[in-house]
Amino acid sequence: MRLKLVIFDVDGTLVDSQADILGSMHGAFERQGMAAPSREDILGIVGLSLDVAMLKLAPTTDAVTRAALVEGYKHTYMRRREAVGAKESSPLYPGALAALDRLKAREDVVLGVATGKSRRGLDKLIEGHGLEGYFLTRQVADDHPSKPHPSMILTALTEMGIESGDAVMIGDTSYDMEMAQSAGVAGLGVSWGYHPASALGAAKHIIEDFSALDTVLEQIFGELA
């Protein structure tokens, strides 16, 4: 039996954290006396590491200001999460938990995460949703270049001892799909996240809801066989 590795992005794929992301970004810019970027621009950088995201959102600022924006974002995000808890501030999308349960129960599948979140942020989210033990490999922004660099996926493959041809990356952004393509794994896009489906050109397939995940994964696994 050849094991398959199914790697999930987090924000915009498993959880809808846009309220926290938008609120935290507004808080970061307000702390610097700057006008916040548009909603579209903010959601457009979801998935990138914060330093890369701030360079895109505030390209004319100096490094000191961008560093302050990053710290302001982290501070505001942490306070928002502490106020209501990770489960409420970043709820799972409909069908996400059931899909994870189905995959976790399979003997031929192992699960992983590749996210622009920090390790602390991911750990808090997993704890809040009771997902301990689901993801055998967790790749976070602390340890890697920003997406779409393939480092997260390549490290996950190495940790699990699985070849790139036996892996799938599931995500909602162009960064996820380009990362998958660069790593030589199949990219499965989701339409409910923060990038429009039209931006997911590097995806092999795109699904409209979690109920379609199992069927499409079987199709991809068949193609990989």
Side-chain angles (χ1 to χ4, degrees):
M1 180 179 64
R2 282 168 50 187
L3 285 177
K4 300 292 190 289
L5 174 60
V6 179
I7 307 170
F8 285 90
D9 168 58
V10 177
D11 296 305
T13 301
L14 289 175
V15 301
D16 186 4
S17 49
Q18 66 174 295
D20 276 348
I21 292 169
L22 291 168
S24 299
M25 200 63 77
H26 278 261
F29 277 79
E30 287 170 4
R31 284 163 64 96
Q32 298 303 311
M34 300 168 62
S38 68
R39 177 182 183 276
E40 180 181 6
D41 286 345
I42 293 172
L43 293 182
I45 55 81
V46 174
L48 296 176
S49 299
L50 274 175
D51 56 342
V52 177
M54 291 306 182
L55 183 58
K56 281 184 169 288
L57 292 175
T60 61
T61 58
D62 57 34
V64 173
T65 301
R66 290 196 299 273
L69 287 169
V70 167
E71 291 307 311
Y73 178 91
K74 291 179 179 179
H75 174 79
T76 307
Y77 198 105
M78 184 172 59
R79 293 194 64 178
R80 290 175 62 92
R81 184 181 61 209
E82 289 175 348
V84 298
K87 186 174 182 179
E88 288 73 24
S89 66
S90 295
L92 286 163
Y93 281 106
L97 181 57
L100 290 174
D101 284 338
R102 292 193 300 271
L103 290 172
K104 184 174 181 289
R106 292 180 55 156
E107 294 183 353
D108 62 333
V109 170
V110 293
L111 301 179
V113 163
T115 176
K117 284 184 175 299
S118 66
R119 184 165 301 282
R120 177 180 178 179
L122 178 61
D123 289 349
K124 287 289 187 182
L125 187 74
I126 286 175
E127 178 185 354
H129 284 288
L131 296 176
E132 296 91 342
Y134 278 72
F135 305 109
L136 299 188
T137 178
R138 303 180 187 180
Q139 307 305 321
V140 296
D142 304 30
D143 307 322
H144 299 279
S146 179
K147 298 176 183 181
H149 192 285
S151 176
M152 289 187 187
I153 293 179
L154 296 176
T155 302
L157 292 170
T158 299
E159 286 185 359
M160 295 294 99
I162 293 175
E163 298 295 326
S164 59
D166 290 323
V168 178
M169 175 70 207
I170 302 173
D172 69 303
T173 71
S174 59
Y175 313 126
D176 296 314
M177 297 302 99
E178 290 164 8
M179 177 175 65
Q181 188 175 58
S182 295
V185 311
L188 173 54
V190 305
S191 66
W192 55 80
Y194 303 148
H195 282 194
S198 60
L200 309 181
K204 289 182 67 70
H205 301 272
I206 297 176
I207 58 173
E208 301 293 330
D209 56 62
F210 273 110
S211 66
L213 179 60
D214 301 73
T215 299
V216 176
L217 279 178
E218 285 307 312
Q219 182 178 347
I220 293 175
F221 291 158
E223 294 168 353
L224 297 178

